[in-house]
Amino acid sequence: MPDDHASSADPPIVCGSDAAGRSGKELAADRHVRVLLPLPLPTALDYLAPDGGAPPEPGSFVRVPLGVRSLVGVVWSGADGELPVERLKPVVEALPIPRLRPELRRFVERVAAYTMAPTGSVLRMTMSVGDALQPPRPRRVCAASAAGLAALSSTASAKRLTQARQRVLEALRDGPPLGAADLARAANCGPGVVRELVARGLVEERLAPVEPPALSPPDWRLSGPPLSPDQSIAARRLVDNVTAGGFKVTVLDGVTGSGKTETYFAALAAALAAGRQVLVLLPEIALGAQWLERFRERFGALPAQWHSDIGGAERRDTWRAVITGRARVVVGARSALFLPFPELGLIIVDEEHDPSYKQEDGVIYQARDMAVLRASLEEIPIVLVSATPSLETVVNVARGRYGRVTLLRRHAAAELPLVRLVDMRRERIEAGRFLAPPLVAELAATFEAREQALLFLNRRGYAPLTLCRACGHRFQCPSCTAWLVEHRFTGRLLCHHCGHAEAVPACCPECLAAGALVPCGPGVERLLEEVTARFPAVRAALMVSDLLPGPRAAAELAQAMTERRYDLLIGTQIVAKGHHFPMLTLVGVVDADLGLTGGDLRAAERTYQLLHQVGGRAGRAEHKGRVLIQTWMPDQPVMKALALGDRDRFLEAEAAARRSAGLPPFGRLAALIVSAGDADSADFAARALARSAPQLPGITVLGPAPAPLAVLRGRHRRRFLVKAGREVNLQAVLRSWLSRVRVQGSVRLQVDIDPYSFL
């Protein structure tokens, strides 16, 4: 790892007699500047410092030429390149932005090395808001001119002014300069009045610097709700870690409803009291509405937010607030991990087991694991929070690498719900219906008691497949090897992989039979149709990403459920975590076996986590909760574990199976995905890779084989799976292998270290 501070020991550029004996090349060499650009480049490029100035410090943001373009990059440490100084171009300018700290630059390098991504691509994630790197544009404001103030103070002149004009001048006399629109609102007049005063010279327009938006800092001194004895013990451990400083990973392992959020708020408050910034990662930021409200109640202000649904202006302001230290707490999705915190003191990863922390496009990384890496480089504590910790985390606790604090009981008087399996092999269900009689009976009892229920089915739309009963034609995406999903509310057939959409036709496109199209299987929309038919008086709502355009819509729906404006909530996995509905006492899982299909090594673990989390929505207050799980495989270990509430035994069995197979976390995996616009090109590149595959002890290369999703967005895909022991430097093996093969044309090669998706 290059020394980030090495440049500070370099001899300065000297003048006068000391420089007399040095050549122009030697003097130019002192002006070498290494600049890493946010492009898919493996290393920094060489430039010259601006004429007459010292080289910018490492971490400085600079503008440099690249071909005919001008780009912003970051001054990087490391040895100079081999280009002669005569061929180097000078840095255009250094930007007035705080420097990236050495810890963040090392983080960029370590992430790039681990994920085998270009360093410049990782840097791009730290400076993803181009507008934030530019100086704020001054805004045009209005101020009263001397003539305007004189007219206002002169009785004779004031009489000649209309009341609207007087209000405009009085607003400027008594207050700060304002933009024309703001001034018109303040004076309760139309914008034409302001323009007329400007034309007459009574109001003048000028350019004023833009002040950063005011941020209300969270107040760590406010007291939160009283903690239970268990919470107090756990909170003390977390606070002690923050007070002691240094790198330490602690797993906050608590059952659903045990008050984990309020517990780690204590550590967050301790970090704020110490003058440090805090990063909180959430897996589904759109589901953070109730979390944000809890934060506001606890600390008197909202944190800064960072996720894909915020607008460009807010992203720009938040990025600047983070790098200048004005944003003291940031809550965000996985990309918030790359924000340039200057005073980071604590990282919290909520729902650390959630698979959405895995980034599958661009730079492929696991945000939970990279958060641990960043905490280690920053030498700060990190808290991993979950009711169902991942097997990787459980194994790290067992190995002594992570600490652990537990919350084994629900908060206050709430009890864990009773879980019951519904064996679908023994149930008789009407054609076109999907709720078994036991679940229907429990729904009726719940509604009769004026309580709320939740039905969970992890399948969006109305039906996962539409076919023609006359000829058997199935509707498939033209760009993917995937069926089109009917969304009856919008009258569309959608591909959930590439976004292709088409209208539901009136007749079969193959045989032209009219009225022959039939839906196969249930989605949440079809479930809503069945419930409405069975319980016409019940007020039901869908909670799915298709119908929630952003965090505000999710917050409004959660609030409506809390206020009991709905009796039943039907949703996909976004209902499974983070929500607290006091009157929700029944959870019904419609198809528990859905996640167990396919070749995913984590299928059973994910199914347990998801169903345990969704079941945890029931009975979180004084009313007892029940969970009914409809399954065709009640003898599966994961189903037995859910029914018995025996998580630890299930994880022990999962660990034993993976250990014997040499699978993560007891072995290492990497996926190589070859894709091309045509099948022949994909096959040719895959065969070339296969011929050069490593033949080494402890390494097994499987493939190439067509990916389960063989065509995605019009590209044909072939997969390799590389399996290795924990002692193998897998990245070094892959680099050696890939260096022997040149991928040409439209072929792309993607490397996924520690793959989560096997499609």
Side-chain angles (χ1 to χ4, degrees), residues 23-45:
S23 67
K25 287 186 177 182
E26 289 174 322
L27 291 173
D30 287 336
R31 296 172 53 214
H32 257 98
V33 177
R34 299 278 287 163
V35 178
L36 185 61
L37 297 174
L39 299 173
L41 300 172
T43 60
L45 303 179

Side-chain angles (χ1 to χ4, degrees), residues 150-151 154-163 165-166 196-197 200 202:
S154 168
T155 303
S157 299
K159 288 181 179 179
R160 293 195 295 270
L161 295 173
T162 65
Q163 290 186 352
R165 293 172 183 170
Q166 286 189 46
E196 185 179 350
L197 289 172
R200 294 181 59 182
L202 299 180

Side-chain angles (χ1 to χ4, degrees), residues 232-245:
S232 297
I233 294 171
R236 173 49 53 193
R237 285 272 305 276
L238 300 181
V239 169
D240 288 345
N241 291 340
V242 172
T243 304

Side-chain angles (χ1 to χ4, degrees), residues 645-695:
D646 197 348
R647 185 196 75 183
D648 292 343
R649 181 175 296 181
F650 168 73
L651 288 177
E652 288 173 5
E654 274 290 293
R658 295 216 210 146
R659 185 183 290 107
S660 64
L663 294 173
F666 306 100
R668 303 197 62 193
L669 289 180
L672 272 62
I673 303 98
V674 178
S675 67
D678 61 274
D680 289 342
S681 296
D683 288 333
F684 182 84
R687 286 194 297 267
L689 278 166
R691 286 192 295 269
S692 301
Q695 306 289 329

Side-chain angles (χ1 to χ4, degrees), residues 68 444 570 702:
V68 297
I570 303 173
L702 305 175

Side-chain angles (χ1 to χ4, degrees), residues 15-242:
C15 303
S17 58
D18 289 336
R22 302 177 64 192
S23 67
K25 287 186 177 182
E26 289 174 322
L27 291 173
D30 287 336
R31 296 172 53 214
H32 257 98
V33 177
R34 299 278 287 163
V35 178
L36 185 61
L37 297 174
L39 299 173
L41 300 172
T43 60
L45 303 179
D46 285 333
Y47 288 90
L48 287 178
D51 292 334
E57 292 288 331
S60 300
F61 288 91
V62 293
R63 186 181 303 282
V64 297
L66 184 69
V68 297
R69 295 183 293 170
S70 175
L71 299 177
V72 175
V74 176
V75 177
W76 219 252
S77 302
D80 297 336
E82 298 178 354
L83 282 177
V85 292
E86 307 86 56
R87 296 183 55 187
L88 300 183
K89 296 181 179 180
V91 170
V92 176
E93 63 174 335
L95 302 182
I97 303 172
R99 297 194 298 270
L100 287 189
R101 299 177 66 244
E103 293 83 357
L104 181 53
R105 303 201 303 276
R106 287 198 293 272
F107 179 62
V108 167
E109 293 173 335
R110 291 282 296 275
V111 171
Y114 188 85
T115 62
M116 297 185 63
T119 312
S121 297
V122 181
L123 174 67
R124 182 180 180 84
M125 296 192 291
T126 73
M127 46 187 294
S128 58
V129 189
D131 288 348
L133 304 174
Q134 309 302 325
R137 295 179 181 177
R139 64 189 186 103
R140 190 176 296 275
V141 298
C142 297
S145 66
L149 293 175
L152 194 61
S153 60
S154 168
T155 303
S157 299
K159 288 181 179 179
R160 293 195 295 270
L161 295 173
T162 65
Q163 290 186 352
R165 293 172 183 170
Q166 286 189 46
R167 290 198 300 271
V168 170
L169 292 174
E170 288 170 353
L172 293 176
R173 180 195 63 190
D174 301 333
L178 296 171
D182 293 334
L183 178 57
R185 282 192 293 270
N188 194 24
C189 67
V193 176
V194 177
R195 289 195 296 269
E196 185 179 350
L197 289 172
V198 172
R200 294 181 59 182
L202 299 180
V203 171
E204 60 184 22
E205 290 185 302
R206 63 181 67 158
L207 295 178
V210 176
E211 296 295 327
L215 292 177
S216 299
D219 189 349
W220 56 269
R221 294 164 296 188
L222 297 177
S223 59
L227 301 181
S228 69
D230 289 347
Q231 285 178 303
S232 297
I233 294 171
R236 173 49 53 193
R237 285 272 305 276
L238 300 181
V239 169
D240 288 345
N241 291 340
V242 172

